[in-house]
Amino acid sequence: AVHKKNLDILERLKRKQRVEESVTYYPNGAEAKTMRLKLHGMQIGKKGNVCQLTEAFPIDLSNIDPAFIRSSATLQYLPMAVCQYDEYGKLTYQNPEARHTFGTPEEDYSTFNSSVSTGGVLNNNDDDALKQIHNNHFVNRFVDRQIGSKIHNQIKRGQDVNVEALLYTKCGPEWHAIHTRLGKDSITAEPIILFSSRDISEILSAKRELQVNKERNEFFAIMAHEIRTPLFQVTGFIDLLDQTNLTTEQEGYVKLLKASSAGLMNVINDVLDFSKLEDGRMKLDITPFEPRQVVDGTLAAVAASIKGKGLTLNKSFPSKIPVKLMGDPNRLRQILLNLVNNAVKFTHRGTVDVDVEIVKEENSPENRKKENSPRDCILLRFSVRDTGIGIDAKHLSNIFKKYNQAAASISTTYGGTGLGLTICDRLVTSMNGEIGVESALGEGSKFWFIIPFSCPIVESRTPVEPEKFCEMPASAELRILVAEDNKVNQKLISKMLSRLNHTSKIVVNGLEAVREVQEHAYDLVLMDIQMPIMDGIDATKEIRSKGMTTPIIGLTASVYRTDFMDLGLDGWICKPVRLG
C-alpha cells in the first residue's frame, strides 16, 4: 500500500502538480518527528523531471486528535475508492486508491469530453453550461449519466444509496459496488457527498458465467428429456420389430437401426451426464457391492462387439480383492464401460486387457473379521489396455478436456462427442481418485484409474428378505398396471409386456392408478413419474398411505436422479427401456 502511495505521488509530481503529505522520520535515533511537506513537480529540459521542496514545517501532535490521525492514515491505505464531493458534484477529495482507480479530474476530462452528451440542449458556444456539466465530477463518474444524475438527486434529498453501476476508470468502464450519502464537512459544516466504491467486475463476470452455465445445463436437461421420450419409442419398436419374421435384408436394416439408436443414446447420455457434473447435481450412491460382478457385467456388455471385431478379451481379477466393498457401483461401471468401449472402438486387431489390482490396503485381514471394526480402506487400480491406433504424445495432455479428441479426423471416422473421457475424469475425481493414460501413436493405449473403497461393517441384524416379486421365476405371468399418459408409450409398453407373456391394464394418470389399485389386485405397477392431474410420486404416496404394499416401479426420462426409494417406490427404470 505504501509503495502504491509513493507511485501515486510520483505520478502527480510528473504532471507538475502540487502535493502535500505528512511524513514521519527518526533523526539519528531520536524520537520520531512528523513533518508536513509541500512538494511541487517541475520539468527541466525536454526530458527531465524534478521534485522541488517548497515548504516543510513540523506538526505538533499534541494539538491533533490521535484518533483523527489514525483514521486518516487508515483512509489513505484503505483498498477501496473513497471520494468526497461538494453538493454540486465537484470533487474535493479522494484517497490514493480512488486516484489509482479513477485518476484526477484533469484526467477525467480527457475521458468524459468525448463521451458526455448534452442531448442537443446545448450548443458548442455555450461554454458556461458545458463547464457546469464537466464540473459535475460525481455524475461524470458514471458511464450512464442519467443514472448518475438520478443518484445525485436522491443523495441531495437525504437518501442513502447502495447500487451497482458501471463507472469510468483508468482501465475503462468497470462495474463497482457503490455506497454514497449526504454528509457534512468536518471543518466548514457545508453539505458534502460521501462516496465509496469497490470493483466488482470479476465477481459479476463469475456470476454471469455461473448463470450462463446453469441456463445451458437446464436447456440440455429439458431437451434431452424431450429427446428421450421419442427415442424410448424408437428403440422399443425396433426391439419388437426384431422379434418378428424378417427377411435377411430386413434383418440387416434392423441391425443398422439398433446401432444408430444406440449411438444416439450414447450421445444423449454423455450430454446428460456432463450437464449433471457441470451443474453439481450428480450425487454418488454409496452402497455395498461386489466389484467382481461389476467388472464381469461390464465385459459381458461389450462381449458381442469384441466378438464381432475378432478381438481377444483378457481379464485379470485377483482373488485377494474383498468380495464386497462400499462405493458407487453404477458410476464405477460407467467409467469402466466407457474406457472398454473406447478400447474396442479404436482397436481393429489384437487384444483388449482389463486388469484390476490392489494398490494399497489398510488394516489386517483379522481386523476385517471383527464385528463393528473400523472400516478398511483399499485402493484399487483398474487398467484397460488395447493394441489399437494409439494417441500422439502431443495430444495426451488434453485428452481429458471436454469436447477434445486426439485428432480432428477421430470424430469423423469414429464418431463421439468428445465428452466420454471428460466424464470419466470428473467421476473419478468425485470419488477421490485419479485417472491417467499411457499411449504412443500406432502402439495402443493404456487407460487407468485408481479409486479408494471401504469395506462394509459386518452387522448382526437379520438381512432383509427380498420382495416377493423378485423371487418370481422369469416365466411367471404377471398382472401389471401401467400408468402412462403418452399414447405411443402405452402401446409400446403393453406390446413389450405381452411379448413377455404378461397381461397389462393402462391408465392415463396417477388418480386413475390409485383408484385401480384399490379396486383390483395387481402383481406390479409401472408408474410414469410425470403425468397430468396427479403425477407418479403423489400417486405412489397416496397408495402407500392407504396401507397397500403392491410393488411399484417408477418409469422416468428425468435427467436428474431423485431418491425415489424414499418416496415409496420399490425401484425405478430410466427410459428408454429395452426389451430383454
Side-chain angles (χ1 to χ4, degrees):
V2 174
H3 179 63
K4 182 188 292 186
K5 178 181 177 182
N6 291 340
L7 288 176
D8 182 66
I9 294 173
L10 182 60
E11 289 298 320
R12 292 166 65 191
L13 291 172
K14 285 181 179 179
R15 292 194 295 268
K16 297 183 249 185
Q17 297 177 6
R18 295 180 183 275
V19 179
E20 289 190 20
E21 290 292 338
S22 297
V23 296
T24 301
Y25 65 100
Y26 300 84
N28 299 324
E31 292 184 359
K33 290 187 178 182
T34 301
M35 302 290 290
R36 186 70 177 174
L37 302 182
K38 291 185 178 181
L39 307 174
H40 180 217
M42 59 184 296
Q43 184 174 359
I44 295 179
K46 292 184 178 180
K47 298 182 179 180
N49 288 288
V50 299
C51 171
Q52 178 184 357
L53 177 64
T54 57
E55 189 177 355
F57 54 91
I59 298 177
D60 187 359
L61 298 180
S62 63
N63 296 326
I64 301 178
D65 183 4
F68 175 77
I69 295 177
R70 294 189 182 97
S71 62
S72 299
T74 301
L75 191 62
Q76 293 297 308
Y77 303 120
L78 190 68
M80 174 182 287
V82 179
C83 303
Q84 181 176 306
Y85 302 85
D86 65 20
E87 61 178 324
Y88 303 106
K90 184 176 181 179
L91 182 67
T92 58
Y93 169 80
Q94 56 182 352
N95 71 340
E97 182 64 24
R99 287 195 295 269
H100 177 75
T101 302
F102 302 117
T104 63
E106 290 79 7
E107 291 176 307
D108 290 344
Y109 290 147
S110 63
T111 301
F112 299 143
N113 282 344
S114 62
S115 59
V116 172
S117 171
T118 62
V121 177
L122 305 174
N123 56 58
N124 292 333
N125 297 324
D126 200 339
D127 294 335
D128 292 337
L130 285 172
K131 184 177 180 181
Q132 184 178 359
I133 289 175
H134 290 303
N135 280 342
N136 193 333
H137 304 143
F138 181 88
V139 173
N140 289 340
R141 193 68 84 197
F142 291 82
V143 173
D144 188 335
R145 295 186 75 253
Q146 290 185 346
I147 293 177
S149 296
K150 180 180 178 181
I151 295 173
H152 190 194
N153 292 330
Q154 288 176 320
I155 296 168
K156 288 193 292 185
R157 291 195 298 268
Q159 298 180 21
D160 286 13
V161 179
N162 291 284
V163 68
E164 294 177 357
L166 201 58
L167 303 180
Y168 285 112
T169 72
K170 283 184 173 182
C171 299
E174 292 179 343
W175 282 96
H176 277 239
I178 302 165
H179 174 71
T180 181
R181 64 182 179 85
L182 197 63
K184 285 188 177 183
D185 188 281
S186 58
I187 298 175
T188 65
E190 293 289 331
I192 58 173
I193 297 174
L194 302 174
F195 174 98
S196 63
S197 72
R198 58 186 176 87
D199 183 8
I200 57 170
S201 298
E202 292 185 2
I203 297 174
L204 291 182
S205 178
K207 285 183 178 179
R208 283 194 293 268
E209 185 176 355
L210 287 174
Q211 183 63 26
V212 169
N213 288 337
K214 181 180 178 182
E215 291 175 357
R216 182 198 63 211
N217 292 333
E218 288 177 351
F219 172 77
F220 281 156
I222 293 171
M223 290 303 299
H225 179 275
E226 294 303 315
I227 293 172
R228 271 180 176 269
T229 298
L231 184 60
F232 163 56
Q233 298 162 357
V234 170
T235 56
F237 281 112
I238 289 175
D239 287 339
L240 290 174
L241 181 63
D242 193 31
Q243 296 190 12
T244 61
N245 295 323
L246 303 173
T247 65
T248 303
E249 183 180 10
Q250 290 170 337
E251 287 178 351
Y253 293 155
V254 169
K255 184 177 180 181
L256 291 174
L257 284 172
K258 281 189 170 183
S260 298
S261 63
L264 178 58
M265 194 69 248
N266 289 335
V267 170
I268 293 173
N269 285 336
D270 280 351
V271 173
L272 295 184
D273 287 338
F274 184 71
S275 67
K276 285 187 284 186
L277 287 165
E278 285 277 276
D279 207 22
R281 300 198 193 186
M282 181 173 284
K283 307 298 181 184
L284 297 178
D285 183 17
I286 306 301
T287 184
F289 74 99
E290 297 184 17
R292 184 182 291 273
Q293 284 189 358
V294 171
V295 174
D296 290 345
T298 301
L299 300 185
V302 299
S305 300
I306 289 177
K307 182 178 179 181
K309 297 187 73 171
L311 304 176
T312 301
L313 176 64
N314 300 313
K315 180 190 77 172
S316 172
F317 192 97
S319 58
K320 60 182 179 180
I321 294 177
V323 175
K324 282 195 174 184
L325 295 173
M326 291 292 294
D328 190 329
N330 293 322
R331 297 307 169 199
L332 174 59
R333 184 182 296 107
Q334 182 179 358
I335 298 167
L336 194 57
L337 183 60
N338 202 321
L339 297 182
V340 174
N341 273 331
N342 277 354
V344 175
K345 180 196 295 187
F346 297 114
T347 303
H348 303 296
R349 65 177 64 87
T351 63
V352 174
D353 301 325
V354 178
D355 300 320
V356 185
E357 59 182 322
I358 297 176
V359 178
K360 183 180 179 182
E361 186 174 13
E362 295 181 0
N363 292 344
S364 63
E366 293 78 13
N367 198 34
R368 255 187 249 117
K369 297 177 182 178
K370 295 179 182 178
E371 197 171 296
N372 297 325
S373 66
R375 293 188 176 188
D376 302 306
C377 181
I378 185 171
L379 283 176
L380 294 185
R381 179 196 294 268
F382 297 81
S383 303
V384 178
R385 184 188 296 105
D386 63 63
T387 56
I389 61 175
I391 304 170
D392 195 326
K394 65 182 180 182
H395 295 300
L396 290 178
S397 59
N398 297 322
I399 199 68
F400 293 106
K401 292 183 178 179
K402 60 183 179 181
Y403 310 121
N404 189 283
Q405 292 183 323
S409 60
I410 293 294
S411 178
T412 304
T413 307
Y414 295 95
T417 60
L419 289 175
L421 291 177
T422 303
I423 292 170
C424 288
D425 180 41
R426 300 281 182 90
L427 288 174
V428 169
T429 301
S430 70
M431 299 168 78
N432 299 318
E434 59 177 315
I435 189 170
V437 59
E438 302 165 14
S439 185
L441 195 61
E443 299 180 11
S445 303
K446 176 185 176 182
F447 284 86
W448 57 266
F449 61 96
I450 300 174
I451 295 179
F453 298 96
S454 57
C455 296
I457 297 175
V458 179
E459 298 183 359
S460 58
R461 63 185 181 182
T462 305
V464 179
E465 291 293 331
E467 297 286 352
K468 291 183 178 180
F469 71 89
C470 295
E471 298 175 350
M472 295 179 179
S475 59
E477 296 183 11
L478 304 179
R479 178 173 169 79
I480 300 174
L481 176 66
V482 179
E484 169 64 64
D485 63 306
N486 186 285
K487 292 186 178 297
V488 179
N489 287 350
Q490 291 172 4
K491 184 173 183 179
L492 175 60
I493 294 173
S494 63
K495 287 290 185 181
M496 283 184 167
L497 294 176
S498 176
R499 191 62 58 88
L500 296 172
N501 297 321
H502 302 309
T503 59
S504 60
K505 171 71 181 291
I506 303 292
V507 294
V508 297
N509 58 62
L511 190 61
E512 291 186 11
V514 174
R515 187 182 304 118
E516 191 68 28
V517 172
Q518 285 180 293
E519 296 175 358
H520 303 92
Y522 289 93
D523 299 307
L524 179 67
V525 177
L526 295 179
M527 185 79 74
D528 187 32
I529 299 300
Q530 294 180 332
M531 291 183 292
I533 303 178
M534 179 183 286
D535 64 26
I537 298 300
D538 289 339
T540 300
K541 290 179 179 178
E542 184 70 16
I543 291 172
R544 295 298 183 232
S545 69
K546 298 181 182 300
M548 292 178 285
T549 59
T550 305
I552 303 175
I553 302 295
L555 294 175
T556 179
S558 174
V559 176
Y560 303 117
R561 176 175 175 175
T562 309
D563 245 338
F564 290 125
M565 302 302 185
D566 296 337
L567 303 175
L569 294 170
D570 296 277
W572 61 284
I573 300 173
C574 190
K575 299 175 184 177
V577 180
R578 305 303 298 268
L579 185 63

